[in-house]
Coordinates of all heavy atoms in Angstrom, one line a residue:
G536 N -32.4 8.4 28.2 CA -33.6 8.9 27.4 C -33.4 8.7 25.9 O -32.2 8.3 25.6
R537 N -34.3 9.2 25.2 CA -34.2 9.0 23.7 C -32.9 9.7 23.2 O -32.4 9.1 22.3 CB -35.5 9.5 23.1 CG -35.6 9.0 21.7 CD -36.9 9.2 21.0 NE -38.0 8.6 21.7 CZ -39.2 8.7 21.3 NH1 -39.5 9.6 20.3 NH2 -40.1 7.9 21.9
P538 N -32.6 10.9 23.6 CA -31.5 11.6 23.0 C -30.2 10.6 23.3 O -29.4 10.6 22.3 CB -31.3 12.8 23.7 CG -32.8 13.2 24.1 CD -33.4 11.8 24.4
L539 N -30.0 10.2 24.4 CA -28.8 9.4 24.7 C -28.7 8.1 23.9 O -27.8 7.7 23.4 CB -28.7 9.2 26.2 CG -27.4 8.4 26.5 CD1 -26.1 9.0 26.3 CD2 -27.4 8.1 28.2
V540 N -29.9 7.5 23.9 CA -30.1 6.3 23.1 C -29.7 6.4 21.6 O -29.1 5.7 21.1 CB -31.5 5.6 23.4 CG1 -31.7 4.4 22.4 CG2 -31.6 5.2 24.8
A541 N -30.2 7.6 21.1 CA -30.0 7.9 19.7 C -28.5 8.1 19.4 O -27.9 7.7 18.5 CB -30.7 9.2 19.3
V542 N -27.8 8.8 20.4 CA -26.4 9.0 20.3 C -25.7 7.7 20.3 O -24.9 7.4 19.5 CB -25.8 9.9 21.4 CG1 -24.3 10.0 21.3 CG2 -26.4 11.3 21.2
L543 N -26.0 6.8 21.3 CA -25.2 5.5 21.3 C -25.5 4.6 20.1 O -24.6 3.9 19.7 CB -25.7 4.9 22.7 CG -25.3 5.6 24.0 CD1 -25.8 4.8 25.2 CD2 -23.9 5.7 24.1
V544 N -26.8 4.6 19.8 CA -27.1 3.7 18.6 C -26.4 4.3 17.3 O -25.9 3.4 16.4 CB -28.7 3.6 18.4 CG1 -29.0 2.9 17.1 CG2 -29.2 2.9 19.5
S545 N -26.4 5.5 17.2 CA -25.7 6.2 16.0 C -24.2 5.7 16.0 O -23.6 5.5 14.9 CB -25.8 7.7 16.0 OG -27.2 8.0 15.9
N546 N -23.5 5.8 17.1 CA -22.2 5.4 17.2 C -21.9 3.9 17.0 O -21.0 3.5 16.2 CB -21.6 5.8 18.6 CG -20.1 5.6 18.7 OD1 -19.4 6.0 17.8 ND2 -19.5 5.0 19.7
A547 N -22.9 3.1 17.4 CA -22.8 1.7 17.2 C -23.0 1.4 15.7 O -22.3 0.4 15.1 CB -23.8 1.0 18.0
A548 N -23.9 2.1 15.1 CA -24.3 1.8 13.6 C -23.0 2.2 12.9 O -22.7 1.6 11.9 CB -25.4 2.7 13.2
Y549 N -22.4 3.3 13.2 CA -21.2 3.8 12.5 C -20.1 2.8 12.5 O -19.5 2.4 11.5 CB -20.8 5.2 12.9 CG -19.5 5.7 12.2 CD1 -19.7 6.2 10.9 CD2 -18.3 5.7 12.8 CE1 -18.6 6.7 10.2 CE2 -17.2 6.1 12.1 CZ -17.4 6.7 10.9 OH -16.2 7.1 10.2
A550 N -19.8 2.2 13.8 CA -18.8 1.3 13.9 C -19.2 0.0 13.3 O -18.2 -0.7 12.8 CB -18.5 1.1 15.6
W551 N -20.4 -0.3 13.2 CA -20.9 -1.6 12.6 C -20.6 -1.5 11.0 O -20.1 -2.4 10.5 CB -22.4 -1.7 12.7 CG -23.0 -3.0 12.1 CD1 -23.1 -3.2 10.8 CD2 -23.5 -4.0 12.9 NE1 -23.8 -4.4 10.6 CE2 -24.1 -5.0 11.8 CE3 -23.8 -4.3 14.2 CZ2 -24.7 -6.1 12.2 CZ3 -24.4 -5.5 14.6 CH2 -24.9 -6.5 13.6
M552 N -20.8 -0.3 10.5 CA -20.6 0.0 9.2 C -19.1 -0.2 8.8 O -18.6 -0.8 7.8 CB -21.0 1.3 8.7 CG -20.9 1.7 7.2 SD -19.3 2.5 6.9 CE -19.4 3.9 8.0
I553 N -18.2 0.3 9.7 CA -16.8 0.3 9.5 C -16.4 -1.2 9.5 O -15.6 -1.6 8.6 CB -16.0 1.1 10.6 CG1 -16.3 2.5 10.5 CG2 -14.5 0.8 10.5 CD1 -15.8 3.3 9.2
G554 N -16.8 -2.0 10.5 CA -16.4 -3.3 10.6 C -16.9 -4.2 9.6 O -16.3 -5.1 8.9
A555 N -18.3 -4.1 9.3 CA -19.0 -5.0 8.3 C -18.7 -4.7 6.9 O -18.5 -5.6 6.1 CB -20.6 -4.9 8.6
V556 N -18.8 -3.3 6.6 CA -18.7 -3.0 5.2 C -17.2 -2.8 4.8 O -16.7 -3.4 3.9 CB -19.6 -1.7 4.9 CG1 -19.5 -1.4 3.4 CG2 -21.0 -2.1 5.2
F557 N -16.6 -1.7 5.4 CA -15.2 -1.5 5.0 C -14.1 -2.6 5.3 O -13.3 -2.9 4.4 CB -14.8 -0.2 5.7 CG -15.5 1.2 5.2 CD1 -15.3 2.3 5.9 CD2 -16.2 1.0 4.1 CE1 -16.0 3.4 5.5 CE2 -16.8 2.2 3.5 CZ -16.8 3.3 4.3
S558 N -14.3 -3.2 6.5 CA -13.3 -4.2 6.8 C -13.6 -5.7 6.3 O -12.8 -6.4 6.2 CB -13.1 -4.2 8.4 OG -12.8 -3.0 8.8
T559 N -14.8 -5.9 6.0 CA -15.3 -7.2 5.6 C -15.9 -7.4 4.2 O -15.3 -8.1 3.4 CB -16.3 -7.8 6.6 OG1 -15.7 -7.7 8.0 CG2 -16.6 -9.2 6.3
L560 N -17.0 -6.7 4.0 CA -17.6 -7.0 2.7 C -16.9 -6.4 1.5 O -16.9 -7.0 0.4 CB -19.0 -6.3 2.8 CG -20.1 -7.0 3.6 CD1 -21.4 -6.4 3.7 CD2 -20.2 -8.5 3.2
I561 N -16.4 -5.2 1.6 CA -15.9 -4.5 0.5 C -14.5 -5.4 0.0 O -14.3 -5.6 -1.2 CB -15.4 -3.1 0.7 CG1 -16.7 -2.3 0.7 CG2 -14.4 -2.5 -0.3 CD1 -16.5 -0.8 1.0
P562 N -13.6 -5.8 0.8 CA -12.6 -6.5 0.5 C -12.9 -8.0 -0.2 O -12.3 -8.2 -1.2 CB -11.7 -6.9 1.8 CG -12.1 -5.7 2.7 CD -13.5 -5.4 2.3
L563 N -13.9 -8.6 0.5 CA -14.4 -9.8 -0.1 C -15.1 -9.7 -1.5 O -14.8 -10.4 -2.4 CB -15.3 -10.6 0.9 CG -14.5 -11.0 2.2 CD1 -15.6 -11.6 3.2 CD2 -13.5 -12.2 1.9
F564 N -16.1 -8.7 -1.5 CA -16.7 -8.6 -2.7 C -16.0 -8.1 -3.8 O -16.1 -8.4 -5.0 CB -17.9 -7.4 -2.3 CG -18.8 -7.1 -3.5 CD1 -19.6 -8.0 -4.0 CD2 -18.8 -5.8 -4.0 CE1 -20.5 -7.7 -5.0 CE2 -19.6 -5.5 -5.1 CZ -20.6 -6.4 -5.7
G565 N -15.0 -7.2 -3.5 CA -14.1 -6.6 -4.5 C -13.2 -7.7 -5.2 O -13.1 -7.8 -6.4
T566 N -12.8 -8.7 -4.4 CA -12.0 -9.8 -5.1 C -12.7 -10.8 -5.6 O -12.5 -11.3 -6.7 CB -11.0 -10.3 -4.0 OG1 -11.7 -10.8 -2.8 CG2 -10.0 -9.3 -3.4
E567 N -13.9 -11.2 -5.0 CA -14.7 -12.5 -5.4 C -15.6 -12.3 -6.5 O -16.0 -13.0 -7.4 CB -15.2 -13.1 -4.2 CG -14.1 -13.7 -3.1 CD -14.8 -14.4 -2.0 OE1 -16.0 -14.5 -2.0 OE2 -14.0 -14.8 -1.1
S568 N -16.3 -11.0 -6.4 CA -17.4 -10.7 -7.2 C -17.0 -9.7 -8.5 O -17.3 -9.9 -9.5 CB -18.6 -10.2 -6.5 OG -19.3 -11.2 -5.7
V569 N -16.3 -8.7 -8.0 CA -15.8 -7.7 -9.0 C -14.6 -8.1 -9.8 O -14.3 -7.7 -10.8 CB -15.6 -6.2 -8.2 CG1 -15.1 -5.2 -9.2 CG2 -16.7 -6.0 -7.5
G570 N -13.8 -9.0 -9.1 CA -12.6 -9.5 -9.9 C -11.4 -8.6 -9.7 O -10.5 -8.7 -10.5
L571 N -11.3 -7.9 -8.6 CA -10.2 -7.0 -8.5 C -9.0 -7.7 -7.8 O -9.4 -8.7 -7.0 CB -10.5 -5.7 -7.7 CG -11.5 -4.8 -8.4 CD1 -11.8 -3.6 -7.4 CD2 -11.0 -4.2 -9.6
S572 N -7.7 -7.3 -8.0 CA -6.7 -7.8 -7.1 C -6.7 -7.2 -5.8 O -7.4 -6.2 -5.4 CB -5.3 -7.5 -7.9 OG -5.2 -6.0 -7.8
L573 N -5.9 -7.9 -4.8 CA -5.9 -7.3 -3.6 C -5.3 -6.0 -3.5 O -5.7 -5.1 -2.7 CB -5.0 -8.2 -2.7 CG -5.5 -9.6 -2.4 CD1 -4.6 -10.5 -1.7 CD2 -6.8 -9.4 -1.4
G574 N -4.3 -5.7 -4.4 CA -3.9 -4.4 -4.5 C -4.9 -3.4 -4.9 O -5.0 -2.1 -4.3
A575 N -5.8 -3.7 -5.8 CA -6.8 -2.7 -6.3 C -7.8 -2.6 -5.2 O -8.4 -1.4 -5.0 CB -7.5 -3.3 -7.6
V576 N -8.1 -3.6 -4.4 CA -9.1 -3.4 -3.3 C -8.5 -2.5 -2.2 O -9.1 -1.6 -1.6 CB -9.5 -4.8 -2.7 CG1 -10.1 -4.6 -1.4 CG2 -10.2 -5.5 -3.7

């Protein structure tokens, strides 16, 4: 039902954010656009 779907989608969205933003975009954006070193990222 809608409550279970909402829970599952919320968990998927949170994991998506971890994989897409923290693990992928922030490291790449930090080094390539912001100009930070790997250590700073």
Side-chain angles (χ1 to χ4, degrees):
R537 193 173 296 175
L539 180 58
V540 173
V542 171
L543 296 179
V544 173
S545 296
N546 189 45
Y549 180 77
W551 182 294
M552 181 271 302
I553 296 294
V556 179
F557 288 167
S558 299
T559 307
L560 287 177
I561 285 179
L563 291 173
F564 181 66
T566 54
E567 296 181 3
S568 292
V569 183
L571 297 176
S572 66
L573 288 175
V576 171

